[in-house]
Amino acid sequence: MMLSSLFENTDLIHVYSRAQAIADGGLIDVSETAHQAGWRASVALTAAVWGDCVAWDKYQHVYQDESGRLWDVLTMALFAARGRRRSNRVLFTVLRIPRGGRRPEPVRLAVEIGPGDAGEPVITIMQPEED
């Protein structure tokens, strides 16, 4: 038996689409704001990035809002992506005030372009250790 025949006509055990990840809350679709910020493809943030860099309780000691924090992430990701055209994944830094904090602190994030559910180019902004 040839090794290559072992994987031919194999049934997939599980496929988890981008649309399912958005529906489940693992990804947050921010395409509408991203298009306003200059992105041409659909953009989603992982739930971890949203929770750490965008989500904001208006009753915290420092006034910010989620809209401004999202624009910061999208803008810094766009600058990083435009500067590195030969890679599908680029690391960048954004300043954000952490929960309970009062001063901005840098956080490293990754922006990655890859195929969407129909093969179209899509952007995902994630923490560097996420895939």
Side-chain angles (χ1 to χ4, degrees), residues 18 27 39-44 81 87-90 110-126 131:
R18 185 175 180 90
L27 288 177
W39 288 96
R40 293 186 181 145
S42 295
V43 179
S87 176
N88 69 329
R89 183 179 174 104
V90 177
V111 58
E112 183 171 298
I113 187 167
D117 294 344
E120 76 283 13
V122 295
I123 307 296
T124 306
I125 299 173
M126 64 190 81
D131 281 332

Side-chain angles (χ1 to χ4, degrees), residues 64-106:
Q64 288 195 337
D65 62 22
E66 289 183 352
S67 175
R69 288 168 64 95
L70 176 57
W71 271 88
D72 290 348
V73 171
L74 291 171
T75 301
M76 296 308 293
L78 185 60
F79 288 152
R82 285 183 175 163
R84 300 286 298 246
R85 296 191 186 268
R86 296 184 192 254
S87 176
N88 69 329
R89 183 179 174 104
V90 177
L91 296 176
F92 68 99
T93 301
V94 66
L95 289 174
R96 57 86 175 102
I97 297 175
R99 293 197 181 284
R102 293 179 182 252
R103 297 188 186 275
E105 294 179 9

Side-chain angles (χ1 to χ4, degrees), residues 55-66 98-102:
W56 192 252
D57 181 355
K58 66 182 177 180
Y59 299 107
Q60 292 189 33
H61 300 295
V62 179
Y63 179 77
Q64 288 195 337
D65 62 22
E66 289 183 352
R99 293 197 181 284
R102 293 179 182 252

